[in-house]
Amino acid sequence: MPGQLLHLADRLLNTPLLLHPAKAEIILGVLSGRIGIDASLVDGKAPDASRFVGSQRRESGGRALTRASGGVAMVPVLDTLVNRGAWLDSRSGMTSYEGIAAQIRDAASDPDVRSILLDISSPGGEASGMAGLADLIRSVRQTKHVTALVNDMAASAAYGIASAANEIVISPTSMVGSIGVVMLHADRSGELAAQGVKPTLIFAGSHKVDGNPFEPLSDAVRADLQSSVDAHYQQFLEVVGAGRGNKLPASMARATEARTFIGQEAIALGLADRIASFDEVLSTLSQQPRPSGRNARTGGIKMSTNEGAPATDNAGISVQEHSAAVAAARQEERARIRAIVSGEEAKGRGAQALILATETALSVNEAEKLLAASPKETAVDALASRAMSGPEIGASTEPREPDARERASRGWQHAIAAANRSIGVKR
């Protein structure tokens, strides 16, 4: 176990991670001051443990890497994601991009498989390897429909994987987003000094021991590490933009500032497409014909955007007309949100723009007037807001004070009302 812990620390410290912040805190807590690791942290999940649906045996009589039902291959994307290690998740609670890619390639070449379902529940993981896996998924979706089902988290790297699918389906409580990069550095110099230990590093090459845990980060080393984080962040934004297209271009992904979103809010912002259960998605995919010709990109599947609407309403509107109206309304709302958060006045006012776009019904012109009259954020403001925001998941059931975003939202509601009166906008 000690050797495994050292290997884990080597992979997670001083390297860019596409990981939900709460998960990063847990990992740092586990690694801090430990020699071994508690066995209770190892859950023993195998690659196919997420669903007891389908079989690895195919209609042709052969066996495959993935479970399949009704021509739908199910690929689990679970727990912490790492670049290499194949099936190491069976003992460590991790899943490797290498193992996911092997299952996707296997399903893509399987004539008994018509579509692929990514079954996702992950806080993210390593930055290295995610973009390559996303490239593979975007390639496969040209010939076989790929659906990303989030039940109940696709954060950071897991969202990067989901964004490469033809569509992202969520539950009403699914959490998606956290499009950002984090790097952990453990400074143990104070701990060692208290123990009377003074390490001496003997090295050649001025940057050989940059980021070591025995001393605080210097400004120069911190800048180098930040540069690495920024590069991975830009790549992450490009991956999301390539997968989601106009639904969530890179500029809008950046405007989320690594926030996470739940349910219908995620759909409104373009981070997801619709709400459905695992059984509903599997049933729909299982009934679709094998893709061919011009429909190859979407696997020949026309997924319904109708969420339980009746065949007709009291006015005699058909399902098709209802679906078209719903789709048009969603498209209009997404266009409004996109125009506000990516407009010229939103530059330097990202948090304000996002609140105006998602928590008010202001038009683009009205929002731009308010933003133009607002001061721009400073780096200190942004950091302070992030520091005050509290945990994003696992919230306590005990009463709590409103978090930073809630306080900002409430303040903005008052500010919006006052600004509306000053510019003559009636709302």
Side-chain angles (χ1 to χ4, degrees), residues 135-256:
D135 287 344
L136 172 64
I137 296 171
R138 288 198 303 272
S139 176
V140 169
R141 81 180 192 184
Q142 304 295 322
T143 55
K144 293 190 177 181
H145 187 90
V146 181
T147 297
L149 176 67
V150 182
N151 193 9
D152 260 342
M153 176 184 283
S156 214
Y159 184 76
I161 294 172
S163 71
N166 293 91
E167 64 167 352
I168 300 176
V169 182
I170 60 176
S171 76
T173 58
S174 291
M175 178 184 293
V176 296
S178 191
I179 305 171
V181 184
V182 62
M183 182 182 290
L184 301 176
H185 173 263
D187 176 8
R188 302 186 62 185
S189 58
E191 175 190 356
L192 294 176
Q195 297 174 1
V197 178
K198 184 177 181 179
T200 300
L201 298 174
I202 302 172
F203 57 96
S206 60
H207 294 284
K208 185 63 178 177
V209 296
D210 282 358
N212 73 80
F214 307 120
E215 59 185 0
L217 289 175
S218 67
D219 290 343
V221 173
R222 181 184 291 274
D224 286 344
L225 295 179
Q226 183 64 55
S227 177
S228 176
V229 166
D230 292 343
H232 282 87
Y233 183 41
Q234 182 60 38
Q235 183 186 53
F236 192 0
L237 296 173
E238 291 171 358
V239 165
V240 172
R244 298 295 289 166
N246 291 332
K247 297 175 183 177
L248 188 67
S251 60
M252 285 186 64
R254 183 186 293 275
T256 67

Side-chain angles (χ1 to χ4, degrees), residues 217-302:
L217 289 175
S218 67
D219 290 343
V221 173
R222 181 184 291 274
D224 286 344
L225 295 179
Q226 183 64 55
S227 177
S228 176
V229 166
D230 292 343
H232 282 87
Y233 183 41
Q234 182 60 38
Q235 183 186 53
F236 192 0
L237 296 173
E238 291 171 358
V239 165
V240 172
R244 298 295 289 166
N246 291 332
K247 297 175 183 177
L248 188 67
S251 60
M252 285 186 64
R254 183 186 293 275
T256 67
E257 292 290 351
R259 292 182 178 89
T260 54
F261 303 91
I262 297 176
Q264 197 61 48
E265 185 181 16
I267 294 175
L269 289 170
L271 278 80
D273 297 301
R274 62 191 181 97
I275 292 176
S277 68
F278 175 85
D279 291 337
E280 289 170 339
V281 173
L282 183 59
S283 175
T284 302
L285 293 175
S286 299
Q287 296 173 23
Q288 302 303 322
R290 182 172 281 105
S292 61
R294 293 178 62 185
N295 290 327
R297 175 179 175 81
T298 58
I301 299 170
K302 184 178 181 181

Side-chain angles (χ1 to χ4, degrees), residues 5-245:
L5 190 63
L6 290 175
H7 180 63
L8 181 64
D10 182 60
R11 301 188 77 152
L12 297 177
L13 297 180
N14 292 347
T15 186
L17 302 175
L18 305 180
L19 189 66
H20 192 284
K23 184 69 172 182
E25 291 175 6
I26 292 172
I27 291 173
L28 185 59
V30 170
L31 294 177
S32 179
R34 291 175 181 255
I35 298 177
I37 188 168
D38 188 344
S40 66
L41 297 174
V42 181
D43 58 11
K45 288 182 179 177
D48 61 351
S50 66
R51 303 286 179 191
F52 296 100
V53 178
S55 171
Q56 289 178 295
R57 188 170 296 280
R58 298 294 188 255
E59 297 175 5
S60 58
R63 292 184 63 83
L65 294 177
T66 58
R67 287 178 177 269
S69 176
V72 182
M74 288 158 277
V75 179
V77 181
L78 307 173
D79 304 312
T80 302
L81 305 174
V82 296
N83 187 26
R84 301 291 298 273
W87 309 114
L88 54 74
D89 46 3
S90 63
R91 291 195 303 270
S92 67
M94 300 182 188
T95 301
S96 74
Y97 301 131
E98 185 179 32
I100 296 171
Q103 293 176 81
I104 290 175
R105 291 191 184 96
D106 185 60
S109 62
D110 190 337
D112 293 332
V113 169
R114 295 192 298 273
S115 59
I116 299 172
L117 179 59
L118 303 178
D119 186 13
I120 303 177
S121 180
S122 169
E126 289 185 341
S128 298
M130 185 278 286
L133 177 57
D135 287 344
L136 172 64
I137 296 171
R138 288 198 303 272
S139 176
V140 169
R141 81 180 192 184
Q142 304 295 322
T143 55
K144 293 190 177 181
H145 187 90
V146 181
T147 297
L149 176 67
V150 182
N151 193 9
D152 260 342
M153 176 184 283
S156 214
Y159 184 76
I161 294 172
S163 71
N166 293 91
E167 64 167 352
I168 300 176
V169 182
I170 60 176
S171 76
T173 58
S174 291
M175 178 184 293
V176 296
S178 191
I179 305 171
V181 184
V182 62
M183 182 182 290
L184 301 176
H185 173 263
D187 176 8
R188 302 186 62 185
S189 58
E191 175 190 356
L192 294 176
Q195 297 174 1
V197 178
K198 184 177 181 179
T200 300
L201 298 174
I202 302 172
F203 57 96
S206 60
H207 294 284
K208 185 63 178 177
V209 296
D210 282 358
N212 73 80
F214 307 120
E215 59 185 0
L217 289 175
S218 67
D219 290 343
V221 173
R222 181 184 291 274
D224 286 344
L225 295 179
Q226 183 64 55
S227 177
S228 176
V229 166
D230 292 343
H232 282 87
Y233 183 41
Q234 182 60 38
Q235 183 186 53
F236 192 0
L237 296 173
E238 291 171 358
V239 165
V240 172
R244 298 295 289 166

